[in-house]
Amino acid sequence: MRLRYSTTTRAALAAAPALLLVAGLSVAHPGHDAAHGGGFAAGLTHPLLGLDHLLAMFAVGLWSLRQARSLRLMAPVLAIGGMLLGATFSWAGLQLPGVEFGIAMSVLLAGVLVAALARVPAVLGGAAVMLFMIFHGHAHGGEMPHGVSALAYLVGFSLATLAITLTGRLVGDWLMAREHRVLRGLGAAIAAMGALFAFG
């Protein structure tokens, strides 16, 4: 069944790819001169320039389409919440075991969920999204450039997370209205990349 969106939601979905294009032009990724845009631009580009981050957030958007309405609506917010919590853990000096492996597994598992067109209880699905993104947020927090505003950095990567997740939802909605096999294949490809990250 094709999903119906309000005018506001449609506008947000349409704006998400544009935000990604604008962010992609920035050169303030961690490792670059922080003067080029400061914390906001560094935060905005960080999820876009890491394929593991990009795929996980995109897959969450794809997968959330077929979930219960509450989870479908909350998935982007939960993704941002997990990112913020993970960054806070990093800045507080709380080390999570196996952060890179956790990131890779989040890509693999999110891809499997998309490929299987899996529907899960909203509480379980919401917890999974939060857990996935805590690992990503921890990495983001640890890689914040020195001398930039932490608040601006948080705002930047929160907007990027929202844009990527909504773009995944937009693409998923388009595919669901046409061909589920392509959506499954996209999920399988994401899962394969996750396996490569984890075990390659």
Side-chain angles (χ1 to χ4, degrees):
M1 184 177 65
R2 186 174 176 80
L3 299 174
R4 298 184 182 278
Y5 297 113
S6 68
T7 302
T8 302
T9 303
R10 286 180 182 276
L13 290 171
L19 177 57
L20 293 179
L21 289 174
V22 171
L25 297 176
S26 177
V27 293
H29 184 262
H32 292 284
D33 185 351
H36 292 147
F40 177 77
L44 194 66
T45 57
H46 191 279
L48 302 171
L49 298 179
L51 185 59
D52 47 3
H53 302 311
L54 185 65
L55 289 177
M57 296 169 194
F58 186 74
V60 165
L62 287 173
W63 169 76
S64 67
L65 275 170
R66 301 192 73 252
Q67 305 313 302
R69 185 174 184 274
S70 59
L71 180 54
R72 188 168 67 244
L73 292 175
M74 289 300 296
V77 176
L78 291 171
I80 292 171
M83 292 280 287
L84 295 175
L85 188 58
T88 300
F89 287 163
S90 177
W91 293 337
L94 178 60
Q95 297 302 313
L96 298 181
V99 169
E100 291 302 322
F101 184 73
I103 289 171
M105 289 303 295
S106 74
V107 178
L108 192 161
L109 294 174
V112 167
L113 289 171
V114 173
L117 300 179
R119 293 177 62 94
V120 301
V123 172
L124 180 60
V129 171
M130 284 284 290
L131 180 61
F132 289 168
M133 291 301 113
I134 284 173
F135 286 106
H136 291 268
H138 195 282
H140 281 39
E143 295 170 1
M144 184 178 73
H146 294 293
V148 302
S149 165
L151 178 59
Y153 186 70
L154 286 174
V155 172
F157 77 61
S158 295
L159 286 176
T161 299
L162 179 63
I164 296 166
T165 306
L166 291 179
T167 299
R169 182 171 292 183
L170 185 65
V171 171
D173 185 38
W174 187 83
L175 289 175
M176 283 179 62
R178 290 159 178 81
E179 182 53 75
H180 282 195
R181 286 178 298 179
V182 177
L183 181 59
R184 287 181 181 272
L186 186 55
I190 292 171
M193 288 300 298
L196 183 62
F197 296 148
F199 307 111

